[in-house]
Amino acid sequence: MLGFLLNRLLQSIVLLVIVSIIGFTILNMIPGGPLAQYGLDAGISQADLDRIAEQMGLNRPLPVQYLDWAWRLLNGDWGNSYRDGQPVISVIGRHMFATLLLMVSSTIVSVAIGTWIGIRGASKRYSAFDYAATVGAMVALSIPTFWFGLVAIYIFTLKLGWFPAGNMYTIGDQSLLDYLHHLVMPSMVLSLVHVAIWSRYMRGAMLEVINQDFTKTARAKGVSERRILMRHVFGNALLPMITLAGMQIPSLLGGALVTETVFTWPGMGRLFLDSLGYSDYPVVMGLLMLSVVLVIVGNLLADILVAVIDPRIRLS
């Protein structure tokens, strides 16, 4: 186990370095660079821009800028936002809860519903329910997330008036019920695509196990089909689903970015787009590195959990 963890730590460090170099280089190669927002002001001369660049250290060679940023990051200094001068870590911290709330709620919904659909589809293979679930999954995977969001707003907000069109809470209220009321639509839209993914993977995993020798033996002993499905088949089919859960983090973050934009949800995805629009590169780099860390930790926890559940698997 220790050797596995050390190996994964080394791989993670290499990955973080590669991603940070690519991200830092691309951001600084964008036309206008970090000074693009200042260039929009007609009253600023080129001499003013040069002075600002010198104050911000942007006139130095790009490798020197990167090494300075990386060293400060290692020492806990994520830099300051170009937009308002606030520390990057505090800017991200103010939006992290909203994104985690959206991701956790949508994950719970997608896992619960997707698992149920997958189990039912596998146990009733080629039934009307199985065909309907397959068609529904293909439709959900083929249509962009933002389209579902706009349709949900049109139906449930404009037509029925059941849910608010956006934001995280009502100004002046901020009660638990108000939070939940605002959470329903973005959470359901974000979970919709992942329900399709979970149901398809669960169905496939169940079908791989359902006709194994040990299930045939259980049937020969007179064990009920329901007990076979839930105790023998589901337990073995669950292992690849745990791995899938770790792999879903990148798509969850990407889906959250779109969903937060459609529903004006004040999370990290919306902050990322706003920061790109303002050329606020320290915040963008902070969000990029945090996202990579979340992906690495999620995959590591999934691997460890699979090894804990199944003693046949050894981490090395």
Side-chain angles (χ1 to χ4, degrees):
M1 175 66 79
L2 180 59
F4 168 78
L5 293 176
L6 291 175
N7 185 43
R8 288 295 292 269
L9 177 61
L10 180 61
Q11 293 177 4
S12 301
I13 293 174
V14 173
L15 178 61
L16 286 171
V17 171
I18 293 175
V19 170
S20 65
I21 292 175
I22 294 175
F24 195 89
T25 303
I26 291 177
L27 286 176
N28 283 273
M29 289 178 62
I30 295 177
L35 298 179
Q37 57 180 322
Y38 297 102
L40 298 176
D41 189 346
I44 294 183
S45 64
Q46 183 60 44
D48 294 328
L49 290 176
D50 293 339
R51 186 174 65 258
I52 294 173
E54 183 176 0
Q55 292 174 350
M56 299 173 64
L58 300 176
N59 58 343
R60 297 173 298 172
L62 189 59
V64 176
Q65 294 183 45
Y66 170 78
L67 291 175
D68 179 63
W69 170 84
W71 176 252
R72 288 188 287 109
L73 185 69
L74 290 175
N75 286 277
D77 180 9
W78 292 34
N80 295 322
S81 170
Y82 290 163
R83 186 175 178 181
D84 55 15
Q86 295 293 317
V88 170
I89 193 168
S90 65
V91 173
I92 296 176
R94 291 197 298 268
H95 295 78
M96 184 180 297
F97 172 75
T99 294
L100 292 179
L101 178 63
L102 183 60
M103 289 177 60
V104 170
S105 61
S106 63
T107 299
I108 293 174
V109 171
S110 60
V111 169
I113 298 178
T115 300
W116 177 79
I117 294 175
I119 293 174
R120 185 173 177 83
S123 61
K124 299 182 178 298
R125 192 178 183 185
Y126 303 133
S127 64
F129 178 87
D130 189 28
Y131 283 121
T134 301
V135 172
M138 294 302 102
V139 171
L141 292 172
S142 302
I143 299 178
T145 304
F146 74 86
W147 188 86
F148 286 120
L150 295 176
V151 170
I153 291 174
Y154 177 76
I155 295 176
F156 296 108
T157 301
L158 298 180
K159 291 298 183 180
L160 300 177
W162 289 358
F163 303 104
N167 296 319
M168 189 174 176
Y169 55 83
T170 301
I171 298 177
D173 190 342
Q174 300 184 23
S175 63
L176 178 59
L177 290 178
D178 185 59
Y179 274 106
L180 294 177
H181 193 211
H182 284 77
L183 179 64
V184 171
M185 277 210 304
S187 179
M188 294 303 295
V189 168
L190 180 59
S191 64
L192 187 59
V193 174
H194 298 283
V195 166
I197 296 174
W198 272 92
S199 63
R200 292 294 87 195
Y201 272 94
M202 176 56 73
R203 179 183 182 275
M206 293 281 289
L207 290 177
E208 287 185 6
V209 181
I210 204 167
N211 290 318
Q212 295 291 331
D213 291 339
F214 65 88
T215 58
K216 295 178 180 178
T217 302
R219 290 192 185 95
K221 290 181 177 180
V223 180
S224 66
E225 193 67 24
R226 180 181 179 85
R227 184 177 177 85
I228 291 174
L229 283 174
M230 299 309 299
R231 183 168 182 176
H232 299 283
V233 179
F234 178 72
N236 286 273
L238 190 61
L239 294 177
M241 305 308 294
I242 296 175
T243 303
L244 175 65
M247 297 171 59
Q248 286 292 297
I249 294 180
S251 59
L252 274 171
L253 290 170
L257 188 150
V258 177
T259 305
E260 288 175 4
T261 302
V262 172
F263 291 98
T264 60
W265 189 262
M268 295 191 299
R270 188 180 172 194
L271 175 64
F272 183 83
L273 290 180
D274 289 345
S275 299
L276 280 177
Y278 280 93
S279 300
D280 197 351
Y281 295 164
V283 175
V284 174
M285 285 300 301
L287 290 168
L288 176 63
M289 300 308 295
L290 180 60
S291 300
V292 176
V293 170
L294 289 176
V295 171
I296 292 173
V297 172
N299 282 276
L300 177 61
L301 292 178
D303 290 341
I304 294 176
L305 186 57
V306 168
V308 170
I309 294 177
D310 190 350
R312 297 171 298 177
I313 299 177
R314 292 186 176 182
L315 299 177
S316 58

